[in-house]
Amino acid sequence: MNRNARFRQKLQDPALMHAMSAHNPLAAKLAAEAGFDAIWGSGFELSASYAVPDANILSPSQHLDMMRAIAATVEAPVIADIDTGFGNAINVSYMVPQYEAAGVSAVVMEDKTFPKDTSLRAAGRQELVRVVEFQGKIEAACGARRDADFCVIARTEALIAGAGEQEALARAREYEAAGADAILIHSRQSTPDEILSFVSAWQGRVPLVLVPTAYPQLRESDIQALGKVGLVIYGNHAIRAAAGAMRDVFARIRREGGIHEVDAVLPTVKEIIELQGDAQMRELERRYLK
Ligand code: SPV
Ligand code: MG
């Protein structure tokens, strides 16, 4: 079974699938090593790694190139965050085959206007596109895929935009009707109440996808018990872990006047060399350097 088929099967499986964010192949490799089922090709993380806002400042090709590099490094399926699809349904038609060719197994596309503003920022600019317009984009994405197992996940930002549960449910139903393989419902409330209410009201056939960044108290066991959620995405924990660790270590080195103290707490150079795939290179040397 290829990677796309594996992803599709797991998405539909009653057992919850877990995806960890990554902004580069090293982060993806560490996520796969930790046992995550899939890699979330987060736009937020990639933007943060360039120190720019998550607002379509980076070019689509920067994101696409990173997804290709990640998919080439890990066996785990990659779910690409294509934001709003980089334009209209025509742009989506041209972009989806490129993501598929890059080795990605699914795209998540959100129903906001282009250029988007990041969802979790307080008072961000959250404007929704018309339902029919987004249906056209979903149909374009489904029509452009070459492998029928490649998944198109529609994300509604209705709760993020403050449009309410009824609007979110209506949109989710319309997106399912347009062919979406799953619905990502996003919220930035600090409690899971809004999400729990949406999940219990959801009567659709396709599974839901949650990103519990804003309501971290909702555990995997609680999500699994809901029965309608196929995938949980940890949206930005790789970049936050990296930023926190770098900030701490850099401050310590300045404070302590050298690297003599921190050296013992950092991964060794040998560990990093292993993560670089050194074993594979040595095997190639053995075979081909005659
Ligand atoms: C991302 O990780 O880029 C996402 C999730 O889209 S969020 O930032 O929570 O909107
Ligand atoms: Mg994003």
Side-chain angles (χ1 to χ4, degrees):
M1 201 187 295
N2 74 17
R3 197 155 41 167
N4 298 357
R6 276 201 332 263
F7 179 79
R8 177 175 285 280
Q9 193 184 64
K10 277 193 165 178
L11 185 62
Q12 284 156 358
D13 195 90
L16 185 64
M17 181 164 34
H18 312 86
M20 176 51 74
S21 55
H23 51 280
N24 62 26
L26 178 66
K29 200 165 182 176
L30 292 168
E33 225 181 64
F36 286 95
D37 304 298
I39 305 300
W40 168 237
S42 163
F44 178 89
E45 286 223 353
L46 189 64
S47 302
S49 75
Y50 279 83
V52 298
D54 174 26
N56 295 125
I57 308 296
L58 297 184
S59 74
S61 59
Q62 283 174 293
H63 187 258
L64 176 63
D65 285 348
M66 189 56 75
M67 297 304 106
R68 184 181 295 108
I70 289 174
T73 302
V74 293
E75 285 290 314
V78 178
I79 309 159
D81 173 11
I82 62 166
D83 293 336
T84 65
F86 311 114
N88 65 17
I90 310 303
N91 299 82
V92 172
S93 286
Y94 281 91
M95 288 311 293
V96 162
Q98 294 193 50
Y99 274 89
E100 196 178 333
V104 160
S105 297
V107 289
V108 169
M109 183 169 61
E110 66 200 52
D111 58 356
K112 290 205 303 234
T113 53
F114 175 88
K116 61 162 279 181
D117 198 353
T118 200
S119 303
L120 297 180
R121 181 182 176 277
R125 177 181 37 77
Q126 311 297 343
E127 292 156 5
L128 303 179
V129 292
R130 291 170 304 124
V131 171
V132 285
E133 184 180 336
F134 197 65
Q135 281 187 306
K137 292 170 92 165
I138 295 166
E139 287 163 12
C142 295
R145 66 181 154 201
R146 297 187 175 146
D147 178 357
D149 284 322
F150 181 89
C151 286
V152 174
I153 301 174
R155 160 172 167 177
T156 182
E157 295 276 287
L159 299 178
I160 295 279
E165 181 176 307
Q166 289 315 310
E167 178 70 15
L169 283 166
R171 282 179 174 258
R173 280 192 293 268
E174 295 297 344
Y175 302 163
E176 179 183 37
D181 296 300
I183 301 292
L184 189 157
I185 177 71
H186 206 10
S187 164
R188 63 183 170 85
Q189 278 195 0
S190 58
T191 69
D193 303 357
E194 177 176 75
I195 281 292
L196 293 177
S197 174
F198 178 96
V199 174
S200 93
W202 174 244
Q203 297 293 336
R205 285 172 294 103
V206 299
L208 298 173
V209 179
L210 301 187
V211 185
T213 309
Y215 47 95
Q217 61 275 48
L218 191 68
R219 296 175 189 208
E220 289 171 2
S221 52
D222 304 325
I223 298 174
Q224 171 78 58
L226 298 172
K228 299 176 189 174
V229 181
L231 170 66
V232 62
I233 292 175
Y234 297 118
N236 49 34
H237 297 76
I239 198 77
R240 287 166 66 195
M246 283 192 270
R247 186 170 261 163
D248 285 353
V249 169
F250 298 166
R252 277 190 66 179
I253 294 170
R254 295 298 299 144
R255 200 170 57 240
E256 291 161 2
I259 55 176
H260 53 288
E261 291 284 346
V262 292
D263 194 64
V265 303
L266 291 175
T268 62
V269 173
K270 180 168 176 284
E271 282 178 82
I272 302 298
I273 287 174
E274 280 164 14
L275 283 167
Q276 287 174 295
D278 187 64
Q280 186 193 353
M281 178 174 158
R282 300 311 149 196
E283 176 58 18
L284 292 171
E285 273 180 355
R286 193 188 61 74
R287 275 204 234 160
Y288 304 121
L289 293 189
K290 302 189 184 202

